[in-house]
Amino acid sequence: MAATEHSPLLQGRSSPQSSRPPLRRALYVIVPLGLVAIATICILLASDGANSSSSSPSSSSGIATTEAPVEIQLTDGELLTMRPPFEEKLHPIPPKLVRRSGFGRSLPTNEFWSNLLVADSHGLNAGGGEVTLSPYTVRSLPKRLEISYGDSRRVTTKDSITEYFNVDASFTAYSHKALANNDTPSALLGDGNSTSRNVVDFDVLSVLLQYYYGEDKKWMKVPMVRGSPYITVEYQNVLPVLEFNATVLAVNGQQVQDTDSLAKWNELQTWTSNRFELDLEVYGAGESAHGTGKSLQKWILYFDKERTLQLQFANEKDYRLYNWRGELTTPTNVRLVDTDFYSGTARLAIVPHGASQAAVDALDKGAPIYPVGSSITTDVNAATASFSFCWKTKRFPDLGEPNLKSTSTAELLMLANPHHAATFKPGSDAFHVLGQFGHRTLKSNMTAVLGSCWEMQETLPTASFQEENVQIQPQYLEAIKVALANDSNYTPGADDPYYFGKEIGRQARLVLIADKLGEKELRDDILNKLEEWLTPWMLGQNSDHFVYDRSWGGLCSLNGLKGVFWMTDFGNGWYNDHVRITLV
């Protein structure tokens, strides 16, 4: 159903914004130019007065001097933060789960984590879309971070390979103990879920999501980094909880006992360690489990210090994907709950089916170091492109214990796709390729790599706007010149950025053809026309002009932004099928 002006996705405004008439928009250009002209005249008059009141050697000798024009130099930072000279508007669909004022840059609209910033078609479940991290897919709900390992649900036919999201485990926490003010043993160790969550930081390969628990010093942070074989969370003064949409068969080799779901907390099984090996039977595996609907998984849960965990049973009966309010919900009948408050890191890793003991050992050794940020550097010349992926890391004792240095010598363990591995720089000492552990995604079988910086290099193909070493056959030369002259008379008629871009791009190609043929006068004539056609777009004087979207920090067409619910200008307001300008 098409959204209307009363859609809950639309921001309420005290007074609707009306588009400015062309004359008023022109004033934005005329007035600044007039001010510049007045200032220039004043400077010239002042300069003439100074010259007439004092003589200089050059003036007395009759030799006139001219100064070179001053070239304004702008730094990269200034160029990146300049506001575009276009009318500013707010987007009808503002970003969710983010404080826009907290970022001095645009918000990504096509990143791997952009689902955190939007809601569904009903305006519900903000931030609840799936985020692919490879090899995991996660989903952020208000009370938990859900984790799915898609390879357990792979369905292969002669036509397609499909994996779908189904929760295996979830990270969450309790803000207080249930027994704190109650002397009667309870079935639950803790209570009090998160009250809100926000994206607090992001970069090219990672995003940081934080859950809040109603108090300043209680939170759960989730650094999501693509290619990590672990899901990592940082806890602060809460009770860690790992929920399962599965049957827990064993913990650290000890079989789980059948327990009454109403049993008291002190009658439930507990385990004490900083490493917990979990054998699960997960649901929703379908054909990948040979028709049984169940599949076996092995996970390893790591903490930076010894913890005592208790297995609890919630006995939830509602298996619907959505509740009566239309909110996403997942039944989690089994939970591992920490018996005390914890400030530190927890990491969860799948052990792929058929993985060797060497793979398990590598996961154990790599657990104490985890990525929290990233950067990409490039160095491009005419023949090659060198680039690197680097990650900022923390080690287990780093959180909450700033004066305690880590004794771990582990290197960062990450997973690479084949197109990464194919470009690894030979002989580099920055990283070490371990091989494949069995992590599989729709894209590839991933390769384990040790090192916090990958160095890569590619040989670039030669590319040019002109045909190299190609001679025009003489018998076609005059016909091409006639066609060129005829085509140069075309005037673009589209007023939207999509078709206008196609039309003017075609005319720009004629400039190169004219230059190749030596038709200098015709080439310059087409160039003058291109300038004439593009100037209104650059000044915002055309009918479907660009506007600066203050909500997301990008450029949209006027009609694309107004008609976002009707896919006007091919979904321009959705930042679809066009390049977003990265500005503040």
Side-chain angles (χ1 to χ4, degrees):
M1 182 176 66
T4 67
E5 292 296 327
H6 302 289
S7 169
L9 291 175
L10 289 171
Q11 281 191 329
R13 293 189 289 268
S14 57
S15 60
Q17 295 182 354
S18 59
S19 59
R20 296 183 175 92
L23 178 59
R24 187 173 178 182
R25 291 202 302 269
L27 291 177
Y28 283 95
V29 178
I30 297 172
V31 171
L33 290 177
L35 292 175
V36 171
I38 293 172
T40 303
I41 293 172
C42 293
I43 293 172
L44 291 175
L45 291 175
S47 176
D48 289 342
N51 289 336
S52 62
S53 61
S54 62
S55 60
S56 64
S58 60
S59 61
S60 61
S61 62
I63 301 175
T65 60
T66 58
E67 295 183 0
V70 178
E71 183 178 351
I72 300 176
Q73 298 288 340
L74 296 176
T75 65
D76 290 344
E78 290 172 329
L79 289 172
L80 289 173
T81 56
M82 287 176 60
R83 298 185 79 86
F86 298 111
E87 183 180 357
E88 297 187 3
K89 287 185 176 292
L90 294 176
H91 201 287
I93 306 176
K96 311 294 191 296
L97 302 191
V98 68
R99 296 182 178 94
R100 180 68 179 91
S101 59
F103 298 96
R105 49 188 161 156
S106 63
L107 296 176
T109 56
N110 195 30
E111 286 289 350
F112 70 93
W113 56 272
S114 291
N115 275 346
L116 295 176
L117 303 179
V118 295
D120 62 22
S121 58
H122 302 287
L124 300 173
N125 301 300
E130 297 164 14
V131 176
T132 300
L133 299 180
S134 296
Y136 308 104
T137 303
V138 300
R139 185 167 64 185
S140 169
L141 297 190
K143 297 180 180 180
R144 60 171 72 100
L145 180 81
E146 299 185 336
I147 306 162
S148 174
Y149 183 61
D151 192 46
S152 295
R153 298 169 186 85
R154 173 171 290 209
V155 178
T156 304
T157 68
K158 63 182 182 64
D159 299 317
S160 65
I161 300 175
T162 306
E163 293 178 357
Y164 56 91
F165 187 94
N166 197 80
V167 182
D168 295 319
S170 303
F171 271 120
T172 184
Y174 295 144
S175 59
H176 59 273
K177 293 183 179 180
L179 299 179
N181 299 313
N182 186 358
D183 295 331
T184 303
S186 167
L188 296 177
L189 284 174
D191 197 8
N193 294 113
S194 61
T195 56
S196 63
R197 69 200 196 281
N198 280 106
V199 172
V200 295
D201 200 7
F202 65 88
D203 53 40
V204 288
L205 298 173
S206 70
V207 61
L208 180 61
L209 180 69
Q210 181 165 344
Y211 287 77
Y212 303 90
Y213 288 83
E215 299 179 29
D216 291 340
K217 296 183 179 180
K218 291 181 181 289
W219 43 256
M220 179 179 79
K221 292 182 180 179
V222 186
M224 302 183 193
V225 182
R226 300 197 87 175
S228 174
Y230 313 85
I231 297 294
T232 305
V233 296
E234 295 177 338
Y235 287 115
Q236 178 66 34
N237 197 28
V238 291
L239 296 172
V241 180
L242 184 64
E243 303 176 326
F244 302 100
N245 183 31
T247 298
V248 181
L249 303 177
V251 178
N252 285 346
Q254 181 183 356
Q255 294 297 117
V256 172
Q257 302 170 0
D258 291 332
T259 306
D260 187 348
S261 60
L262 299 179
K264 298 178 181 179
W265 68 271
N266 52 9
E267 298 175 359
L268 301 177
Q269 282 181 280
T270 60
W271 292 265
T272 300
S273 181
N274 63 349
R275 179 189 183 276
F276 299 87
E277 194 166 302
L278 312 171
D279 293 303
L280 309 181
E281 185 178 64
V282 297
Y283 311 138
E287 294 183 26
S288 61
H290 308 290
T292 65
K294 300 177 182 179
S295 179
L296 298 180
Q297 289 182 344
K298 182 183 290 291
W299 297 78
I300 305 177
L301 175 63
Y302 303 92
F303 288 92
D304 64 26
K305 56 180 71 71
E306 190 174 86
R307 311 304 302 162
T308 297
L309 304 184
Q310 185 177 82
L311 194 62
Q312 299 181 359
F313 301 90
N315 197 28
E316 294 186 9
K317 299 296 185 182
D318 192 347
Y319 286 88
R320 293 175 297 176
L321 292 178
Y322 295 86
N323 62 19
W324 64 272
R325 292 184 298 271
E327 299 168 339
L328 281 167
T329 181
T330 302
T332 53
N333 289 321
V334 186
R335 300 167 187 172
L336 271 175
V337 183
D338 202 321
T339 57
D340 203 355
F341 292 109
Y342 176 61
S343 293
T345 308
R347 307 194 77 189
L348 183 67
I350 188 82
V351 178
H353 181 70
S356 65
Q357 184 59 43
V360 176
D361 294 341
L363 288 171
D364 289 345
K365 188 175 181 180
I369 180 171
Y370 59 98
V372 293
S374 64
S375 63
I376 296 178
T377 59
T378 59
D379 183 15
V380 181
N381 57 41
T384 61
S386 298
F387 50 100
S388 61
F389 293 176
C390 295
W391 291 273
K392 178 183 177 182
T393 61
K394 285 185 178 180
R395 296 178 185 269
F396 272 0
D398 291 349
L399 184 67
E401 302 176 64
N403 297 323
L404 179 61
K405 293 184 178 180
S406 174
T407 58
S408 171
T409 58
E411 294 183 87
L412 179 66
L413 178 62
M414 298 291 286
L415 299 174
N417 282 312
H419 62 279
H420 300 134
T423 59
F424 281 157
K425 202 170 185 178
S428 174
D429 296 329
F431 61 92
H432 176 60
V433 178
L434 297 182
Q436 294 182 355
F437 288 173
H439 296 90
R440 187 170 67 162
T441 69
L442 280 178
K443 289 184 177 180
S444 71
N445 293 304
M446 305 188 78
T447 299
V449 183
L450 280 179
S452 58
C453 211
W454 297 352
E455 294 179 346
M456 293 166 277
Q457 183 173 300
E458 279 197 274
T459 301
L460 299 177
T462 56
S464 173
F465 286 111
Q466 300 283 9
E467 292 287 347
E468 300 294 336
N469 302 320
V470 175
Q471 297 296 324
I472 301 175
Q473 297 183 36
Q475 63 269 31
Y476 300 128
L477 188 59
E478 287 304 316
I480 294 174
K481 289 183 178 181
V482 171
L484 174 64
N486 290 334
D487 290 344
S488 68
N489 293 322
Y490 179 82
T491 299
D495 58 0
D496 67 281
Y498 187 87
Y499 284 115
F500 175 79
K502 288 181 175 294
E503 290 178 328
I504 199 170
R506 183 173 55 196
Q507 297 307 105
R509 182 66 186 171
L510 299 182
V511 174
L512 300 176
I513 297 174
D515 187 66
K516 181 74 173 180
L517 296 176
E519 298 289 327
K520 308 299 183 183
E521 183 177 348
L522 182 58
R523 178 200 63 188
D524 294 343
D525 181 59
I526 302 174
L527 280 172
N528 291 334
K529 290 180 180 179
L530 291 175
E531 181 180 1
E532 178 185 344
W533 296 329
L534 282 172
T535 297
W537 284 87
M538 297 298 101
L539 299 180
Q541 295 175 347
N542 55 306
S543 59
D544 191 12
H545 58 84
F546 290 126
V547 294
Y548 175 58
D549 169 17
R550 289 175 53 195
S551 302
W552 293 87
L555 288 184
C556 296
S557 65
L558 176 65
N559 293 338
L561 195 62
K562 290 193 302 183
V564 65
F565 295 111
W566 296 272
M567 295 299 290
T568 307
D569 287 353
F570 293 95
N572 189 279
W574 290 101
Y575 292 97
N576 178 53
D577 201 20
H578 83 297
V579 177
R580 181 174 53 84
I581 306 299
T582 305
L583 297 165
V584 177

